Amino acid sequence: MEQRYFGPTKREVAVIGQGTWYIEDGNRKTVIAGLRRGLDLGATHIDTAEMYGSGAAEEIVGEAIAGRRNEVFLVSKVLPSNASRRGTIAACERSLAHLKTDHLDCYLLHWSGSFPLEETIAAFEQLQSQGKIMSWGVSNFDVSELEEVRSVAGEGRLVCNQVLYHLKERAIEHGVLPWCERYGVAVVAYSPFGHDDFPRPGSSGGRVLQEIADAHGATPRQVALRFLIRRPSLFTIPKASNAEHAAENAGAGELRLTEAEVARIDGAFPRGPKPRSLPML
Ligand SMILES: NC(=O)c1ccc[n+]([C@@H]2O[C@H](COP(=O)([O-])OP(=O)(O)OC[C@H]3O[C@@H](n4cnc5c(N)ncnc54)[C@H](OP(=O)(O)O)[C@@H]3O)[C@@H](O)[C@H]2O)c1
């Protein structure tokens, strides 16, 4: 599995990780076997959140990583509705208890909400100084929100922005991705298969993925994942509910695409126009 420095941290992290949204809906044993198979294959970045199953996903992750905590780059998220200074600290304590661990490798604000960022960031800094989190980041932040983080926290504190990014949704390439690259912030692509909207085999884009996959003895999903991590700032966290899917996804960590193949995928799934800026209110 290829690893890269995760933003400004000194930590190398697997380019392909594992998501956990809705894992509580699957068969518990099968899901845990899937997460463990992913770990065996180096997909050691595990992403969860207090929101997922209201703590149920974190509990399953806790069971899956029992005895293997040191292998894992463990990420969880605080809900914006809990992200006051005290609320963030309490939410983190709950997540640690669910996950049966004493620290997170990275703790994220799930999306921006109504509590002032100063409060959430002060809580993150306190948690980090206590060793309960090793780093912190955000999720679903646009460029103006990222600028606000920079003005509150200074440079080098924010380590990642976890954002929607898949073949049919490339809007981050217009602003968020360049901003993160300029400031050395890791970009974690969530819903890399469009949640449940992967290009169908018979579609024109699906055929392109299949042809490239055939040339490498790989699968279309592996090709898609590799495209999404084609820049050094990028990571991704596909969710799988069983060992077969987890193994297929982790296999993308070994695949390498040529420049011509990347260009072909780029053409088959164009990033689309820059979103028009919102009218002044
Ligand atoms: N920060 C945020 O706001 C946010 C939002 C959304 C997601 N996320 C994170 O990103 C993770 C991934 O996103 P996602 O869960 O929305 O969707 P996703 O990873 O794009 O897609 C998951 C779907 O793909 C299927 N799948 C996975 N691997 C497969 C394979 N090898 N072959 C066939 N099907 C496969 C899964 O089926 P099975 O379950 O049957 O394996 C599931 O139906 C989440 O789990 C979560 O951790 C974060």
Side-chain angles (χ1 to χ4, degrees):
M1 171 67 67
E2 185 187 345
Q3 304 206 339
R4 298 175 174 163
Y5 284 111
F6 195 71
T9 69
K10 300 278 177 282
R11 185 84 186 263
E12 285 191 304
V13 172
V15 288
I16 308 289
Q18 304 192 74
T20 64
W21 193 20
Y22 290 117
I23 52 166
E24 71 283 1
D25 288 354
N27 174 281
R28 194 176 180 100
K29 274 193 177 160
T30 312
V31 165
I32 288 173
L35 286 166
R36 289 186 180 156
R37 180 90 176 109
L39 289 183
D40 293 342
L41 297 169
T44 48
H45 172 179
I46 297 187
D47 176 74
T48 190
E50 63 167 335
M51 187 190 97
Y52 301 165
S54 301
E58 289 180 325
E59 285 180 359
I60 294 168
V61 170
E63 201 175 325
I65 66 173
R68 306 181 68 167
R69 176 66 186 89
N70 292 343
E71 293 171 46
V72 182
F73 187 82
L74 186 59
V75 179
S76 193
K77 313 184 196 81
V78 57
L79 278 168
S81 52
N82 288 335
S84 63
R85 181 158 184 169
R86 286 172 60 177
T88 301
I89 287 165
C92 184
E93 302 283 3
R94 283 194 303 274
S95 289
L96 293 175
H98 288 146
L99 290 158
K100 294 196 172 60
T101 184
D102 60 359
H103 72 282
L104 297 171
D105 294 291
C106 194
Y107 196 34
L108 312 183
L109 175 58
H110 210 145
W111 62 89
S112 78
S114 53
F115 286 110
L117 262 182
E118 284 84 351
E119 282 203 35
T120 316
I121 290 173
F124 284 164
E125 293 287 352
Q126 183 180 330
L127 288 164
Q128 189 167 350
S129 68
Q130 293 170 335
K132 291 179 179 169
I133 66 174
M134 297 296 116
S135 63
W136 59 266
V138 296
S139 177
N140 298 300
F141 269 41
D142 64 21
V143 169
S144 64
E145 293 164 336
L146 290 167
E147 282 292 351
E148 198 186 336
V149 174
R150 197 168 72 94
S151 75
V152 172
E155 272 181 48
R157 301 303 303 149
L158 174 71
V159 307
C160 74
N161 186 18
Q162 187 186 115
V163 288
L164 179 66
Y165 188 42
H166 57 85
L167 292 176
K168 300 180 186 177
E169 178 50 78
R170 297 176 56 189
I172 62 157
E173 293 180 28
H174 291 291
V176 167
L177 180 61
W179 190 96
C180 289
E181 292 187 341
R182 177 171 175 197
Y183 293 107
V185 172
V187 176
V188 179
Y190 75 65
S191 300
F193 300 138
H195 191 62
D196 201 10
D197 187 23
F198 193 69
R200 274 202 284 279
S203 62
S204 59
R207 283 198 298 274
V208 168
L209 295 177
Q210 186 66 61
E211 282 171 28
I212 295 171
D214 289 345
H216 292 273
T219 70
R221 282 178 192 264
Q222 290 174 332
V223 171
L225 291 175
R226 181 40 78 169
F227 177 82
L228 296 174
I229 51 163
R230 69 198 179 285
R231 299 176 66 84
S233 55
L234 288 163
F235 298 78
T236 191
I237 45 169
K239 174 257 184 180
S241 316
N242 59 57
E244 193 190 345
H245 287 175
E248 179 178 349
N249 300 344
E254 304 298 327
L255 180 64
R256 297 291 183 279
L257 301 175
T258 65
E259 277 182 31
E261 288 167 337
V262 168
R264 217 178 144 205
I265 299 166
D266 185 48
F269 299 94
R271 70 177 184 176
K274 192 172 181 173
R276 271 185 299 162
S277 54
L278 295 170
M280 297 292 285
L281 293 176

